[in-house]
Amino acid sequence: MSGQGFIERGKATSWLIVATFLTIFIVGIGTYEDYDIFGDAAVERISGFITYEYINDLLFHREVPVISARNLPELPEWRDRQYGMFFQLPIIFIEDLKGFKTSFYKSLINRHLYCFIIYFIALICFYFTLKEILANKLIALAGVLMEHLHYNLYAQSITNIKDGLFVSIYIIACFFMIKLMKNRENNIYLLLFALFTALATTIRFYGVILIPTYITYAIVEDIVFLKSNNDIKSWLNPRLKRGLTTNFSLVWLIIIFCAIYYIVMPVYWLNPGETLLYTINSALNFPNWNDTMEFMGKVGKWEDMPWYYLPVYMLLTIPVYTIIAFLIGTILIIFNTFKGRKFENFVRYRFLWVYMGLFFILFIFQIVFHIKIYGRWRHMYILYPAFVVIAAAGIQMLQEIVANSKVAQKSKYILFIIPLLMSLGFLGSIARMIKNHPYEQAMYNIIGMKYGAENNRAGHGRKEIYSYMLKHDNSEKLKVKFEPVGLVSLNSKALKRITWVINDYDYLFVDYRNIIGNTYQVPGYSEIYTLWQDGYKLASLYKKNP
């Protein structure tokens, strides 16, 4: 795939790519502290403490007094034991070295920076993945921007050390998967692929899908190679010695993956069988979560949600230009594969078909088996990197059609239409993200602004709401209605002025969870400050009437 019509102008293209990544890095480093801290962050920190204490006790017979004093459950009995803490343990280790003197708030904010740095590395890997597949730097850069400018996922990649971090590690694993597919004799790529796939799987078990994906690809490639002519064989690494050696490497891949997964998941050390079953059940059912959610103007539990919950939320939240590019990509990949020499075309587009499989298999699996997800579709963000790869291919293929058209032969200006439209789309997303910062996680696209904007905006604005309260009320102590997440939303200085109470409070925070529309009355209290987004309330502060 040449990317005809997207002309790479040597150093200018390289400088554009460098400038784009540098801008993303500077903006991320400068804004990661702006985002709210969510309740899951505190729970994940507890999970990290439990795992850290378990390792210290089992391997080093060392007690960690600060953690022991919390009387936390043992790891084998902990409800979230299925989630690996590999990426959190270094943070806790540093806290331990400092005597756990880092404030609770600061330790959680530091996780924002940590997640962003890993996310940035993942974006670089995503660029090189796209470059490997599509062989065009500008198309690869466009793909990176489509990945980066998904408002919700970008914010989650900073604030969510589970779902956001999972996508980042998954992207890195996919990069090494493509490198290994192109260089199957390279043991370094095999090791790195197994490593990052195992690490992704510790966060969300869905990551394991990359192992059967690669094995299927390798077997199919070997079969195709045996039945191909010399021209096609030249596309399939003709230097590779196929047969027993390559097949045995697949066994090694499974062994290395399982070994790494076992080593970095301490909960498996003593009872692997039972823990594996618990992990799979949790991945499919989320038994520890049975709360309510909003969807299309109604409130209900997951069992009440229709089969189209996932596709609707994707339609409402992914930037529209990316959705259009994805649809074009899907159609053109299928059309270009099955026209003319189908066998040769399938080999030519084989990596795109890998990503088509990664997207559609998981997408259909979730719908058919009604796998529980909540908080919009963050548990299925694993779909988005493949979505973007297909979208980037769609842009490239469409541009090639335009470049080869009779209209383009008469006027070269037609070649600038698609790049111009994509650039306008990117600029529109950037403008909206700036306008709505730091609440990108609550944003909808232009379709969602009209049809879905009242759904699932809960959980945002605590930092701003409570800061407003502290700034405009000079009382030494403020009685605020207790809410667990409020405890992690402010620094220790601010919390000293707040007394959390159950009854007779002066202020209460409302995040419009399970509230449809903007009308909400609290008897005896008045709404004094509200955050708005796209005509809907994100959060409000209510004060007791005199």
Side-chain angles (χ1 to χ4, degrees):
M1 300 181 68
S2 62
Q4 185 178 357
F6 283 90
I7 303 173
E8 299 179 356
R9 301 185 180 276
K11 290 185 177 180
T13 299
S14 298
W15 279 113
L16 176 62
I17 294 166
V18 171
T20 300
F21 276 99
L22 187 61
T23 301
I24 291 172
F25 183 77
I26 292 173
V27 170
I29 291 295
T31 60
Y32 74 89
E33 292 188 75
D34 298 345
Y35 294 94
D36 281 299
I37 295 172
F38 295 92
D40 278 357
V43 175
E44 286 296 290
R45 187 169 184 255
I46 291 173
S47 294
F49 279 165
I50 291 172
T51 303
Y52 189 73
E53 184 179 36
Y54 184 79
I55 292 172
N56 272 276
D57 179 53
L58 192 64
L59 297 184
F60 308 112
H61 307 291
R62 172 180 177 256
E63 183 181 4
V64 186
V66 173
I67 299 178
S68 300
R70 293 170 172 263
N71 294 318
L72 298 171
E74 292 287 334
L75 180 60
E77 282 76 47
W78 175 233
R79 65 176 190 181
D80 287 343
R81 58 188 178 275
Q82 73 273 22
Y83 299 123
M85 293 290 112
F86 177 84
F87 289 98
Q88 300 214 42
L89 292 178
I91 304 175
I92 297 173
F93 178 69
I94 293 172
E95 288 188 57
D96 191 3
L97 290 178
K98 295 181 177 181
F100 291 98
K101 294 180 180 178
T102 306
S103 71
F104 186 48
Y105 175 83
K106 186 65 176 177
S107 70
L108 296 181
I109 283 292
N110 287 343
R111 283 164 168 75
H112 286 191
L113 175 60
Y114 183 63
C115 287
F116 171 74
I117 291 173
I118 295 174
Y119 164 76
F120 183 74
I121 294 170
L123 278 187
I124 295 172
C125 289
F126 193 58
Y127 167 80
F128 284 108
T129 301
L130 289 164
K131 188 168 172 287
E132 286 278 352
I133 297 172
L134 303 175
N136 188 283
K137 294 180 181 179
L138 288 177
I139 294 292
L141 181 62
V144 167
L145 289 173
M146 283 189 284
E147 180 73 25
H148 179 64
L149 296 177
H150 185 307
Y151 342 100
N152 306 160
L153 179 54
Y154 170 64
Q156 290 265 356
S157 297
I158 295 174
T159 62
N160 194 325
I161 202 166
K162 189 157 54 183
D163 297 303
L165 180 64
F166 166 68
V167 176
S168 297
I169 303 304
Y170 176 79
I171 287 173
I172 297 172
C174 286
F175 167 69
F176 287 114
M177 180 181 71
I178 294 298
K179 295 295 289 185
L180 182 60
M181 287 176 174
K182 286 193 167 188
N183 305 273
R184 287 173 54 195
E185 72 285 358
N186 192 309
N187 292 327
I188 299 298
Y189 288 144
L190 185 144
L191 177 62
L192 291 171
F193 170 56
L195 171 64
F196 281 97
T197 302
L199 294 179
T201 306
T202 67
I203 306 172
R204 288 286 185 204
F205 198 72
Y206 289 136
V208 75
I209 192 175
L210 294 183
I211 297 298
T213 297
Y214 175 77
I215 291 173
T216 303
Y217 170 87
I219 294 172
V220 171
E221 183 189 82
D222 285 348
I223 295 172
V224 169
F225 187 87
L226 293 174
K227 296 184 177 183
S228 300
N229 57 42
N230 290 331
D231 289 338
I232 295 180
K233 286 181 178 179
S234 66
W235 302 345
L236 298 174
N237 192 358
R239 301 185 308 275
L240 180 64
K241 295 179 180 180
R242 300 169 193 273
L244 184 61
T245 304
T246 54
N247 291 333
F248 193 66
S249 71
L250 300 181
V251 177
W252 269 115
L253 173 65
I254 296 172
I255 292 173
I256 294 171
F257 166 82
C258 292
I260 294 173
Y261 182 75
Y262 177 80
I263 290 170
V264 300
M265 289 285 285
V267 70
Y268 278 81
W269 293 351
L270 298 182
N271 197 346
E274 181 182 333
T275 304
L276 179 61
L277 292 176
Y278 182 84
T279 301
I280 294 172
N281 181 56
S282 297
L284 297 177
N285 300 305
F286 291 103
N288 294 328
W289 193 93
N290 195 33
D291 211 334
T292 54
M293 62 186 83
E294 308 99 312
F295 182 68
M296 304 306 291
K298 297 180 180 179
V299 176
K301 293 191 174 184
W302 174 248
E303 293 74 18
D304 305 315
M305 297 297 114
W307 67 265
Y308 50 81
Y309 177 93
L310 173 62
V312 165
Y313 261 121
M314 294 179 71
L315 179 65
L316 297 178
T317 57
I318 297 174
V320 173
Y321 55 83
T322 306
I323 295 175
I324 294 172
F326 168 80
L327 295 175
I328 292 171
T330 302
I331 293 169
L332 291 180
I333 289 170
I334 295 172
F335 178 79
N336 288 341
T337 300
F338 291 99
K339 73 172 184 179
R341 298 181 176 180
K342 301 179 182 64
F343 193 71
E344 292 184 11
N345 291 337
F346 188 79
V347 175
R348 180 180 288 113
Y349 299 120
R350 63 194 184 280
F351 297 123
L352 293 178
W353 278 102
V354 168
Y355 276 93
M356 289 274 280
L358 285 173
F359 176 81
F360 283 104
I361 289 173
L362 282 175
F363 181 75
I364 294 170
F365 181 79
Q366 192 281 328
I367 291 174
V368 170
F369 293 99
H370 203 55
I371 304 301
K372 184 188 291 185
I373 57 177
Y374 53 91
R376 300 190 182 183
W377 59 291
R378 62 186 174 91
H379 302 97
M380 294 303 294
Y381 279 162
I382 185 177
L383 296 173
Y384 196 62
F387 191 96
V388 171
V389 170
I390 297 167
I395 296 170
Q396 184 178 45
M397 291 177 172
L398 183 62
Q399 184 72 354
E400 289 174 353
I401 292 172
V402 173
N404 293 321
S405 67
K406 293 181 179 179
V407 178
Q409 294 175 7
K410 296 179 180 180
S411 174
K412 294 297 181 182
Y413 292 108
I414 195 74
L415 297 176
F416 293 100
I417 292 179
I418 295 175
L420 178 61
L421 290 175
M422 291 304 299
S423 298
L424 290 174
F426 294 151
L427 290 173
S429 290
I430 292 169
R432 288 196 64 219
M433 289 173 76
I434 292 173
K435 176 185 176 183
N436 288 285
H437 180 75
Y439 306 116
E440 296 96 323
Q441 193 170 319
M443 288 173 61
Y444 287 84
N445 63 22
I446 58 175
I447 301 172
M449 287 168 61
K450 183 175 182 179
Y451 296 105
E454 65 183 283
N455 296 297
N456 272 325
R457 290 180 180 270
H460 305 276
R462 283 178 171 81
K463 184 184 293 186
E464 184 172 343
I465 290 289
Y466 286 133
S467 295
Y468 175 89
M469 176 189 71
L470 292 166
K471 180 179 179 181
H472 290 83
D473 190 326
N474 295 321
S475 303
E476 185 176 342
K477 283 288 186 179
L478 302 175
K479 292 193 295 182
V480 181
K481 183 179 180 181
F482 173 75
E483 51 142 359
V485 183
L487 294 172
V488 303
S489 302
L490 297 168
N491 59 37
S492 55
K493 181 179 179 181
L495 288 173
K496 287 179 180 178
R497 292 185 56 204
I498 295 177
T499 301
W500 302 98
V501 295
I502 304 298
N503 300 303
D504 194 28
Y505 37 81
D506 296 322
Y507 293 95
L508 74 150
F509 170 87
V510 175
D511 68 356
Y512 295 92
R513 179 179 180 82
N514 295 338
I515 298 171
I516 303 300
N518 292 324
T519 303
Y520 184 70
Q521 301 293 328
V522 182
Y525 291 81
S526 298
E527 184 180 342
I528 63 171
Y529 185 66
T530 296
L531 300 177
W532 292 80
Q533 187 181 79
D534 302 329
Y536 285 88
K537 294 177 179 178
L538 277 181
S540 295
L541 179 66
Y542 283 74
K543 184 177 182 180
K544 190 175 183 179
N545 294 329

